[in-house]
Amino acid sequence: MSYLLDLVATSDGTVLPADRPQGLHGGRPLLARYDLERLRREVPRTALQGRPESLWRYAELLPLRDPANPVTLGECRTPLLAAPRLARALGLERLTIKDESLLPTGSFKARGMAVAVSRARELGIRRIAVPSAGNAGGALAAYAARAGIECFVFVPEDTPIVNRNEAALYGAHVFLVDGLIGECGRIVREGAERMGWFPMSTLQEPYRLEGKKTMGLELAEQLGWRLPDAIFYPTGGGVGLIGRWKAFDELEALGWLAGGRRPRMFAVQSSGCAPIARAFDVGGEASPALDHPHTEASGLRVPKPLGDFLVLRAVRASGGRAMALAEERLREWLHLATRLEGVALCPESAFCLGAVQECVARGWLRPDAEVVVFNTGAAQKYVELTTPPPLPHIAHRAVDWQRIAGAAGSGGAS
Ligand SMILES: *Cc1c(COP(=O)(O)O)cnc(C)c1O
């Protein structure tokens, strides 16, 4: 059932065996390789019919040796929502949101952790650790609990309260680190020897990427094995973007895609932390390391992504762009989607709305383009950012109807 062949180093092409735990090679990530020729001969895409509507339906393109036994919390196939009012507000004829906030623990991080923890359990790993400034820690803690694996999470002190609490809630050992995410990463690397845990840091093991790849597989299947004109995606570590590009490579090799056209990939960042966009602007192949990253979108607080060169390659090959959007306008974009469409767009993805708007205004995107924006997480998790001004109070004995009537008519979206 498994078509996983081995792991290939992005540093120098060295091939490593997949059936033991592996980290980086030459300081760079490994990519899982599948026997796509055999898969192409043996499995038509119609074989997917009737399988569960979750990421596990793509078993042949996942690394599990025993696909019948994944670590799962009931991952759903996330909806593609038409967003006509939002499209109009941004200058487009149509716009679709792929809403990843419905996944367990409220973000697309669940895809990566479901697959990586399943694989870790297969490889006999008993203790794992991760640095996290946002949703990764909670997602890993949940799947680790599900698998019965011990989990350590190291978070910078400015990590949103919900993210700190959820990791602890799922029983992980959570530590607040006086420093940035890079410092947390160093502790996880050093502890691999000292504590005997396996680092699950972004791109430091090869299988979170495989889980995130399923965003691309799922999107293609939902669109009838076609791809849209453009994909807008908030880019922190860049794993989602690299994963989708890998998905499109594999689908193309399998001959599963109708038509060979790839979407233009837009990597969206905040002006407060935009290493990829800066490298893109100057034609660089890697990102500069930033000293003082600042953005309220915690998932984008990655000052020096390990996979920067892979993101930049995919963005350029696709004819897309990497863009930095003004941090000062975050709240404005955040409220657009939540109010106009009822979609709990997370702050990371809210920057994508600014990016779409700018692309249309500058003529980089035609108004009739088919555009997909990924909502990578649930707005409700960002309580620091989404707390409203004090709510009007109504005494329960003497209801002030004038006050209630005064609010009517101001909130409608049409
Ligand atoms: C982690 C995270 C991101 C960034 O994801 P990458 O694929 O690593 O670039 C974006 N949004 C949310 C909500 C996240 O948790």
Side-chain angles (χ1 to χ4, degrees), residues 272-339:
C273 184
I276 304 274
R278 284 202 196 169
F280 181 85
D281 285 344
V282 299
E285 283 176 18
S287 57
L290 304 180
D291 285 338
H292 300 289
H294 166 73
T295 169
E296 286 191 276
S298 50
L300 303 185
R301 255 180 241 152
V302 185
K304 173 66 185 159
L306 189 59
D308 51 5
F309 64 109
L310 296 171
V311 176
L312 287 158
R313 263 182 224 164
V315 165
R316 289 190 176 116
S318 77
R321 320 182 67 90
M323 301 171 67
L325 278 293
E327 176 74 19
E328 299 72 34
R329 295 185 63 190
L330 173 56
R331 282 180 163 74
E332 176 191 327
W333 293 317
L334 186 67
H335 286 128
L336 257 185
T338 44
R339 290 192 181 155

Side-chain angles (χ1 to χ4, degrees), residues 250-274:
E250 291 173 358
L251 290 176
E252 215 166 81
L254 292 175
W256 285 13
L257 285 178
R261 200 178 42 85
R262 295 277 186 107
R264 293 165 70 203
M265 307 284 267
F266 290 83
V268 179
Q269 304 198 297
S270 157
S271 57
C273 184

